[in-house]
Amino acid sequence: MLGYGNPGNFVEGVETPLRVRVFYFKNSNGQELIFANFEICFITQILRETILDFLKGLSNSNWRDANVILTAQHTHSAPSGYTHYALYNMPTPGFCQQVLDTLVDGFKEAFASAKENSVAAKVLYKAAEFPPEIPVAYNRSMSAYKRNNEVAGKRLRIEDQNLCVDRTMRALHIVSESGPVGFINWFAVHCTSVMWTNRLISPDNKGYASLEMEQFVRKESGAGNFEAIFAQGNAGDVSPLYQVPKWKRYLPRDVSDDFAKARHNGHLQFEQALKIFKNSGEELSGDIDSEFLYVDMSCQKVDPEFLPKRYKRRNITTSPACLGVAFLKGAENAGIDFFIAYPAILISYIIMWFEIFVTSILNAKMAQAVRKKYKSQAPKAIFVESGARRIWGTRKGVGLVLPGAVDPTIKYFKRLARRNALGKKSWTQQVLPAQVTVMGSLCLVMLPAETSTMAGQRIAKYVAKMLKRNGVKHVVLSPYANGYSGYIVTPEEYSAQCYEGGHCVFGRWTLPAWLTVLKGICEEMQKAPDQRSMDRSLRPPTFTNEEISKRSFVAHGY
């Protein structure tokens, strides 16, 4: 399965089947928009490209990147194997065409149903905050969250986990003259109620919430085609569980209890959604204005507007993707143990100083690039350079000193290196999509990453300011969209190097870099569509069949 990166988290059966839900919008001007939500961990580039190829091949097709939104609700109990990038196929033997085909077929079926059942309807924006006593979401990285300037000086205790998250559920209620048609809501909480010891397919809490709401509304209103999407928000550091002490992971666990917890959390989300469903809302009208842009996040220059005062005069950029030892330590108690983590950190720093020393003697240009990398990534203890295709300073996976038994990542890369299957392309996606869609007074911001609570709030606040003149009053962050690149955390949170910071691959200035990208898109969206000037020539690299075949497998009995 994909999410925990744990080799014991493999599929033995199905607890609840997974779904793809698609909403098809078309306004009076003929402008179209697709919003799709997959019950999987995240969207991959090959999944998006395959779906776009299908849509563009339809008769009278006007589909393009900008009017297709693909999101995932981030369950960790769905199949892996549907990406061409090496690192995120780690939990499986590699890429599996059968998994990709199943996801694409699910989209095709859901899209056909959405178009066939489309009716004239109103789209209403609604929102409401969970009461603080509802145990639905907890901040799992309090030590990082407390470093943010917005909460500086506040005496936050570990017991305040439930208050250090975004507790607002935002929603679109689609209703026709004959009754309810659909409901999309965004709320920030990880789909990790079902833990890494599970071996059954499950849509986790958000999937159960969707099913419960669909069953309820269909029964109450007779709307047999009613669909409910429970999409993700800025959930990067948000767990559905009060944080379990480390020692508890060694105790025997009843996995069936995880499904009960997932259903309970889903029920809490359903109850909140139902309250919003019954409330009045603001009708959205006007144009559907959407922009989509690929950017190279491995070398994105940062606008000084988003930098601390002492860095504003410096030429700050991101660096090629790197994952830290904190990434290996994991979240939700699914990573390596502390007695492995601390020696790993020591090894990382020894390699760093060795690399700086050697390059300073041998090659001035290389030495400059190395110093720049470590400045951008500091204080991360680098383990995997997925952009440069190296592990602990080497591209020869079989040459690693540590045996594969230490960690599944090491074992996986050793196996690929023996097959000569690591290729010449980055192991994680670096050319990434950003998408901004305006529907009346609502703006949706789609990013290919997991945003922390505070990072998401800063993004929403900035986009709202930029697009106020466009009539935007509400900004909804819809992450886990169109691709995947790990986490986006604030620079303050990054300095703590919790799991999220270790998986914030482009370094300390990742959030300011994304704000720079969004600034450029928002500035163009203030112009008329035919007056905009955006460089859309950049595209992610394409993998050859030969490259993929070396790290592919066929699932027998699939």
Side-chain angles (χ1 to χ4, degrees), residues 88-99:
Y88 294 123
N89 276 332
M90 179 188 68
T92 63
F95 172 74
C96 182
Q97 187 67 44
Q98 296 150 288
V99 174

Side-chain angles (χ1 to χ4, degrees), residues 302-309 311-314 462 465-466 512 515-516 519-520 523:
V302 178
D303 191 311
E305 177 182 353
F306 307 112
L307 294 171
K309 187 175 181 179
Y311 290 96
K312 288 187 181 294
R313 293 182 180 274
R314 303 185 191 181
Y462 182 77
K465 182 183 76 171
M466 287 293 293
L515 286 169
T516 301
K519 177 182 180 179
E523 286 177 342

Side-chain angles (χ1 to χ4, degrees), residues 395-519:
R395 289 183 179 174
K396 301 291 184 182
V398 292
L400 283 174
V401 176
L402 291 179
V406 170
D407 182 79
T409 306
I410 296 172
K411 182 178 180 180
Y412 172 73
F413 279 103
K414 279 177 171 286
R415 175 165 52 83
L416 291 187
R418 286 194 295 269
R419 293 182 185 175
N420 194 29
L422 290 173
K424 296 182 179 181
K425 296 183 176 70
S426 63
W427 296 340
T428 55
Q429 190 173 346
Q430 298 191 118
V431 177
L432 291 156
Q435 187 175 18
V436 178
T437 300
V438 175
M439 303 171 64
S441 61
L442 172 69
C443 175
L444 300 177
V445 179
M446 278 62 64
L447 293 175
E450 310 186 40
T451 52
S452 70
T453 299
M454 194 60 72
Q457 290 178 3
R458 291 184 189 178
I459 290 168
K461 183 178 180 181
Y462 182 77
V463 172
K465 182 183 76 171
M466 287 293 293
L467 294 181
K468 184 177 181 180
R469 61 186 292 182
N470 294 48
V472 169
K473 294 190 289 185
H474 315 286
V475 175
V476 174
L477 188 65
S478 190
Y480 308 88
N482 301 319
Y484 188 73
S485 62
Y487 283 71
I488 301 173
V489 301
T490 68
E492 301 98 297
E493 291 168 340
Y494 185 86
S495 67
Q497 279 301 290
C498 294
Y499 168 76
E500 296 80 11
H503 200 175
C504 183
V505 298
F506 300 111
R508 181 180 181 183
W509 307 114
T510 298
L511 173 59
W514 278 114
L515 286 169
T516 301
V517 171
L518 291 171
K519 177 182 180 179

Side-chain angles (χ1 to χ4, degrees), residues 1-5 9 41-42 44 75-82 88-89 91:
M1 299 184 193
L2 183 58
Y4 291 116
N9 187 216
C41 193
F42 51 74
T44 67
T75 177
H76 285 37
S77 297
S80 177
Y82 58 97
Y88 294 123
N89 276 332

Side-chain angles (χ1 to χ4, degrees), residues 75-385:
T75 177
H76 285 37
S77 297
S80 177
Y82 58 97
T83 176
H84 283 175
Y85 287 90
L87 182 70
Y88 294 123
N89 276 332
M90 179 188 68
T92 63
F95 172 74
C96 182
Q97 187 67 44
Q98 296 150 288
V99 174
L100 177 64
D101 290 344
T102 300
L103 296 176
V104 173
D105 289 345
F107 172 86
K108 291 178 180 178
E109 182 179 338
F111 174 68
S113 177
K115 285 208 73 173
E116 180 182 342
N117 295 305
S118 59
V119 294
K122 295 180 179 179
V123 181
L124 307 174
Y125 174 77
K126 305 178 178 183
E129 190 171 307
F130 273 96
E133 66 273 11
I134 302 298
V136 68
Y138 302 90
N139 192 301
R140 69 186 187 188
S141 292
M142 288 289 288
S143 60
Y145 179 84
K146 288 190 288 187
R147 296 192 181 201
N148 287 307
N149 296 330
E150 290 87 340
V151 295
K154 293 184 179 180
R155 300 187 64 181
L156 296 173
R157 305 166 302 161
I158 193 67
E159 292 81 6
D160 295 325
Q161 293 177 32
N162 64 316
L163 303 178
C164 300
V165 298
D166 184 350
R167 297 185 67 84
T168 299
M169 179 179 283
R170 300 162 178 88
L172 292 182
H173 183 185
I174 299 97
V175 58
S176 69
E177 289 184 355
S178 59
V181 175
F183 192 81
I184 308 173
N185 75 74
W186 293 263
F187 178 69
V189 63
H190 254 75
C191 281
T192 50
S193 297
V194 180
M195 296 296 283
W196 60 273
T197 49
N198 169 53
R199 294 181 181 178
L200 300 177
I201 293 294
S202 166
D204 215 291
N205 51 58
K206 288 187 177 292
Y208 298 133
S210 290
L211 291 173
E212 187 171 2
M213 186 158 193
E214 287 169 350
Q215 292 167 3
F216 179 87
V217 175
R218 289 172 184 175
K219 182 178 179 180
E220 290 292 310
S221 67
N225 295 318
F226 178 85
E227 296 268 312
I229 289 176
F230 280 68
Q232 272 295 1
N234 46 331
D237 54 356
V238 184
S239 172
L241 307 171
Y242 189 86
Q243 289 309 281
V244 180
K246 282 282 186 182
W247 59 269
K248 280 196 173 183
R249 72 179 273 201
Y250 298 103
L251 300 180
R253 300 180 66 255
D254 182 2
V255 178
S256 62
D257 186 51
D258 286 354
F259 295 116
K261 290 177 181 177
R263 283 187 165 83
H264 176 67
N265 187 278
H267 180 70
L268 295 177
Q269 293 183 60
F270 156 71
E271 288 185 323
Q272 179 73 355
L274 190 60
K275 290 178 184 176
I276 296 173
F277 182 82
K278 294 177 179 179
N279 292 343
S280 59
E282 177 185 336
E283 183 176 355
L284 303 180
S285 60
D287 289 341
I288 298 175
D289 187 8
S290 191
E291 288 291 353
F292 184 102
L293 188 68
Y294 281 106
V295 292
D296 188 349
M297 287 301 294
S298 70
C299 56
Q300 174 62 43
K301 187 174 181 179
V302 178
D303 191 311
E305 177 182 353
F306 307 112
L307 294 171
K309 187 175 181 179
R310 65 193 178 104
Y311 290 96
K312 288 187 181 294
R313 293 182 180 274
R314 303 185 191 181
N315 182 24
I316 299 294
T317 66
T318 55
S319 83
C322 297
L323 295 99
V325 174
F327 163 74
L328 292 181
K329 290 161 67 176
E332 312 287 357
N333 294 327
I336 62 174
D337 299 307
F338 73 93
F339 54 83
I340 298 177
Y342 287 104
I345 292 173
L346 178 61
I347 293 171
S348 295
Y349 283 123
I350 290 172
I351 291 171
M352 177 187 73
W353 288 114
F354 177 79
E355 188 176 10
I356 291 172
F357 174 73
V358 171
T359 56
S360 65
I361 296 174
L362 299 180
N363 188 308
K365 187 176 181 180
M366 186 182 296
Q368 184 180 12
V370 166
R371 287 194 297 269
K372 184 177 180 180
K373 173 185 69 176
Y374 283 114
K375 282 183 179 179
S376 177
Q377 293 286 341
K380 180 186 291 177
I382 296 173
F383 173 59
V384 176
E385 295 178 54

